[in-house]
Amino acid sequence: MRLQIPPEAKGGANSLRLVLISADQAIAPIKIDLPITIQSQLQIQPKKIDFGSIEAGKTSETQTLVVRSNISGTASLQLQGNFKDVSIAEPSAAISLQPGETKIPVQLQVTDSSFAGDRTFTLVLTPGNSIVNPVSTEANLYILMPLWRKIVIWLLLLLLVLLITLIVVCLIQRKTPLELVEDFRNRKRLEGALVVLEPLPQSSEDEEISLTHLHKGRVCLSDLIPAIAATNSDAELVTVWRLGKKNIDLRCLKGVIFVNTKNINTDELFNEDIIQIGNVKLQFNWIEHQRPSEPGSGQTNF
């Protein structure tokens, strides 16, 4: 005797009763109980599922798993493998299984702190019935880094490079960052002083004018010395950088200007140079900025 089990038969333990009846009914029917267990079946498709690209902090598109079984009950979907920053957003509750085909929509959630790269893990479907073995499918996704996080990372790297550069410059210059900032602020400011030789001011305090204390990169001499206004001439002092070196130039604005008895339009000033505008005579002082010796003069500056 053989039994034919239909494909849609429910898995599990079943009780069957076999009744033997004679053709002429001369013998009373004989009843035989036949306990039978139909093997439980659970299959999942597809065997590999691709969730595509997912930005960190986002939820993937919905993919569908198809489960074929001959049992009913509940099951749970879990992750196994490299899923530290990935979780199941859908289904959020237990899955109800019915004999036949069950479709399960699946969505994955990626955490905000995830780093870009491939993730491969396993989706495991575990039925509530311990007799049935779990089934699984391989899942893959690629995590994208959000634009704002890329910007933050590049800004942090840029700040790190700037910090390292600042430390190196401080070590080379043997200065603190505050001293470097002050040097940068003073790059375009005038330095040195002007001493009024003729005519002598009424007050001795007005004989020397500090250019450093002006905190300016350009100034007209007539604004500093009122007596120049009567000469119908004027000039300006301006800071100029040449070949990485700071210089101070005297530029004629109107009239006739002399530097060391030479008529000039524009001239670079050095320590103890004499400036003459009409009847006004000035001495420019800028320590350690001596005028280079001219060829053939026989003088050497140390």
Side-chain angles (χ1 to χ4, degrees):
M1 181 179 64
R2 293 191 304 174
L3 296 178
Q4 178 68 40
I5 307 298
E8 65 274 9
K10 185 177 180 180
N14 295 272
S15 295
L16 301 180
R17 175 168 288 178
L18 179 65
V19 180
L20 298 178
I21 302 174
S22 64
D24 56 3
Q25 297 184 354
I27 302 175
I30 301 174
K31 298 178 181 180
I32 303 174
D33 291 328
L34 297 176
I36 184 171
T37 299
I38 300 176
Q39 185 177 1
S40 300
Q41 296 180 355
L42 192 64
Q43 297 178 344
I44 190 170
Q45 293 292 334
K47 292 301 182 182
K48 291 186 178 180
I49 187 169
D50 189 358
F51 287 89
S53 299
I54 308 174
E55 189 174 292
K58 302 293 184 179
T59 303
S60 71
E61 294 183 357
T62 301
Q63 300 290 344
T64 301
L65 291 176
V66 178
V67 178
R68 294 183 177 86
S69 68
N70 61 355
I71 62 173
S72 61
T74 60
S76 61
L77 190 64
Q78 299 172 333
L79 294 177
Q80 288 184 356
N82 184 19
F83 66 95
K84 292 186 298 181
D85 45 4
V86 181
S87 61
I88 297 176
E90 188 68 28
S92 57
I95 302 166
S96 178
L97 294 179
Q98 298 296 330
E101 185 176 276
T102 303
K103 293 184 178 180
I104 305 174
V106 181
Q107 276 187 310
L108 300 180
Q109 174 71 44
V110 180
T111 61
D112 292 330
S113 58
S114 299
F115 287 94
D118 281 308
R119 300 290 189 277
T120 300
F121 46 88
T122 303
L123 287 170
V124 180
L125 183 69
T126 304
N129 189 343
S130 60
I131 299 177
V132 185
N133 293 328
V135 292
S136 62
T137 183
E138 182 180 308
N140 177 265
L141 63 86
Y142 185 85
I143 299 177
L144 299 173
M145 186 178 296
L147 179 60
W148 66 266
R149 190 188 296 177
K150 292 181 180 179
I151 294 175
V152 170
I153 291 176
W154 281 109
L155 286 177
L156 291 176
L157 290 176
L158 179 60
L159 289 176
L160 179 61
V161 171
L162 291 177
L163 179 60
I164 294 174
T165 303
L166 177 61
I167 294 174
V168 172
V169 172
C170 288
L171 292 176
I172 294 176
Q173 298 291 333
R174 296 184 179 180
K175 293 182 179 181
T176 66
L178 292 178
E179 290 174 334
L180 291 177
V181 171
E182 188 63 25
D183 288 346
F184 181 79
R185 294 174 59 185
N186 293 333
R187 280 178 57 86
K188 294 185 178 181
R189 293 178 179 176
L190 295 168
E191 295 185 41
L194 288 176
V195 179
V196 181
L197 302 178
E198 297 178 4
L200 289 176
Q202 296 180 354
S203 173
S204 60
E205 295 178 355
D206 297 333
E207 291 183 5
E208 184 171 345
I209 302 171
S210 173
L211 299 175
T212 303
H213 293 164
L214 295 177
H215 301 297
K216 293 182 178 180
R218 183 189 302 265
V219 67
C220 292
L221 294 183
S222 59
D223 294 336
L224 301 177
I225 306 168
I228 293 179
T231 65
N232 200 29
S233 298
D234 200 0
E236 68 174 356
L237 294 171
V238 60
T239 301
V240 179
W241 281 83
R242 297 187 184 94
L243 301 176
K245 183 179 178 182
K246 185 177 184 178
N247 303 290
I248 296 179
D249 284 1
L250 179 68
R251 295 176 180 175
C252 178
L253 297 179
K254 63 178 180 177
V256 180
I257 310 295
F258 293 92
V259 174
N260 298 333
T261 69
K262 293 182 180 180
N263 186 358
I264 60 98
N265 287 321
T266 299
D267 193 24
E268 180 181 347
L269 295 180
F270 295 89
N271 188 48
E272 298 184 351
D273 279 355
I274 303 300
I275 304 169
Q276 187 167 357
I277 305 176
N279 63 338
V280 178
K281 184 179 291 186
L282 311 170
Q283 179 175 301
F284 174 75
N285 291 337
W286 194 11
I287 300 175
E288 298 182 359
H289 288 77
Q290 305 296 329
R291 181 178 291 275
S293 61
E294 298 182 359
S297 64
Q299 299 179 353
T300 304
N301 293 325
F302 297 92

